[in-house]
Amino acid sequence: MTAAPDTGSGTGLTTQAEDMLQRFRAGDMRALGRLLTLVENQHAQAGVALARLYPLAGQAYRVGFTGAPGAGKSTLVSRVAGAWVGAGHAVAVLAMDPTSPFTGGALLGDRIRFQSPPAGQDAKPVFFRSAASRGHTGGLAKTTEEMSVVLDAFGYERLLIESVGVGQVGLDIAEACDTTVVVLVPESGDDIQALKAGLLEIADILVVNKCDRPGARALMMQLQEALHYRTHAQKGNWQVEVLMTCGHTGEGLEELVAQVERHRAHLLEHVGGEQIRRARLRRALLNLVREELRVAAAEAFAAGRMPDGHALEPLLEQVLGGQRDPFALARDTVRRLFAQGDT
Amino acid sequence: MTAAPDTGSGTGLTTQAEDMLQRFRAGDMRALGRLLTLVENQHAQAGVALARLYPLAGQAYRVGFTGAPGAGKSTLVSRVAGAWVGAGHAVAVLAMDPTSPFTGGALLGDRIRFQSPPAGQDAKPVFFRSAASRGHTGGLAKTTEEMSVVLDAFGYERLLIESVGVGQVGLDIAEACDTTVVVLVPESGDDIQALKAGLLEIADILVVNKCDRPGARALMMQLQEALHYRTHAQKGNWQVEVLMTCGHTGEGLEELVAQVERHRAHLLEHVGGEQIRRARLRRALLNLVREELRVAAAEAFAAGRMPDGHALEPLLEQVLGGQRDPFALARDTVRRLFAQGDT
């Protein structure tokens, strides 16, 4: 079960970390929490632990919720989590959103009623974790992937990942999920803008939340029209539907839970468990590579070099002197670097 | 004035684009708007136009405002813009925030009173541009840099750039500015989290906005304490202050405008105009390189390759078979690629 010929920097675990990993494998919740903290803080031991745990992961089904801050994602997530726990699944929630109201395992203003499993059932309570602070240091998609692997390896069968749909990071997180739910609200012109620019492409399920607000019907119709023009190929002929929900009254939530299940069943039937896992890994690996490229580029700059090893200062001189433009310089450098790799 | 030996893909401008560029140089506002749209849409002609315009840019002073959605950044930005216009500067505002209330040149709920310059003055009105939609397709930092260069080349002397402080992109945008204002509000535990994780490092000025709310004083004191432990070296011995503002009553706004001026004067005196420009370019170039790396990695994956040219499928097999972990794989691949460049 020990893995990875190339664990990179750290060569092994400290005795303390080895101990924690053993307790983690025995199902100790405190060990889980501690490992997640190591991962979130990008502790040196986290990489080694992840390499060891990775072979245990791969079974958890991931559902991502993305949307603007204030769209009501957390309420929807907590309801889906509740339904799953009721159905006997082991469920974990990762809130990768600095504006998420999940704090310390509770949803503000809507205390979670299903924290204790239903009487007479053997279900675990929902595990909540918020990793908001990483949003400001970058690497959010990488951290999400790593924390998901930890939760997966611990034995959670279903992961709910909430990400704020602002910027590329939100999209990356959503893309690393098997089912992506895009949550929109009426009365926000930005939503239609957003759809034009990418959210429509990643959505497996579209939700118009706060559907008691004026404009909900109009938004739904705009979305349906937009979907009409969309190519279905990349979604394996899955038909994206627009659902109307109201997190507070509960309207449409059962249908949302059912639709998530339908998408999962569709993927299992048309794609298959092995291919789902492979596609997820492929997307995750792209995210990880991009994050490493980000870090490596910053390190190269800090050392006074471009990524291809050229000294930075003479190039800055040329740009400041008007002999080069920085846009072409960046483009050409990266193309050269990747072309080198091709040979 | 025609520039750049290596304009990359596009070799020249269409007659139409050439025409637009000529009108742009003559100060035609419609040509400015059209060029910004080309840039925002990453139109093929935009790259060529940017290479031509770059030598005209470099004079505009950039002030970035970053903070959580709803922190009141737009109100602060509009007040600073107003003060500058009153002082006779040519001012442009770029709102790179999908949740920004700037739309079509107006600030919702607070119609901008300084849209027309004060009577008897020759000042241009403030130019507003929102580029929210790019937030969902990535490349926001690159688009910001490109649009800033366009506005700079057009002759705007001061740029105000509003970015949502969620995720790395917000930080990148702020970093590409000369003066960075971080806006926080009381009653948000996330803010302190955020500070721990990076915002404190990039702030030249810290603002506690909505200071009539409970907790404002406590937040200010926490921030001051946090600043106490901060190293000042990277800010050129500039003393970061915490200001209290209330966008709606106007409290503290004059002081904010004055503090921005003080930071600018400090940089000019201690760093110098040429070094300010060089440092800005260096940060911008890093952002551009990172964006190109992002795109190139996605292209490599789409072609079935890792960035170093290795076929993707056998590697995925190894990971799925438990012989490799994806975290180490991503790290080692990128390290190898950058090391190649070193030789």
Side-chain angles (χ1 to χ4, degrees), chain A residues 195-241:
Chain A
L195 283 173
K196 283 188 198 148
L199 278 181
L200 202 65
E201 274 63 43
I202 62 157
D204 298 305
I205 299 167
L206 277 167
V207 169
V208 175
N209 194 28
K210 304 189 182 178
C211 70
D212 49 344
R213 284 200 189 169
R217 262 228 105 67
L219 176 58
M220 188 182 75
M221 281 158 67
Q222 281 179 290
L223 293 174
Q224 280 169 338
E225 197 177 306
L227 285 174
H228 207 76
Y229 294 103
R230 176 193 155 134
T231 55
H232 296 282
Q234 78 266 38
K235 289 288 172 190
N237 288 315
W238 165 253
Q239 180 63 50
V240 179
E241 306 261 351

Side-chain angles (χ1 to χ4, degrees), chain B residues 40-63:
Chain B
E40 193 183 355
N41 296 337
Q42 299 287 301
H43 191 280
Q45 293 278 295
V48 192
L50 279 164
R52 294 264 211 100
L53 289 178
Y54 191 78
L56 302 174
Q59 302 313 313
Y61 193 81
R62 302 181 189 178
V63 178

Side-chain angles (χ1 to χ4, degrees), chain B residues 208-236:
Chain B
V208 175
N209 195 28
K210 305 188 182 180
C211 69
D212 48 344
R213 286 198 187 170
R217 212 119 222 110
L219 176 58
M220 188 182 74
M221 279 158 67
Q222 279 178 293
L223 294 174
Q224 280 170 338
E225 195 177 309
L227 285 174
H228 208 74
Y229 294 103
R230 172 191 159 139
T231 54
H232 296 283
Q234 78 265 40
K235 290 288 175 190

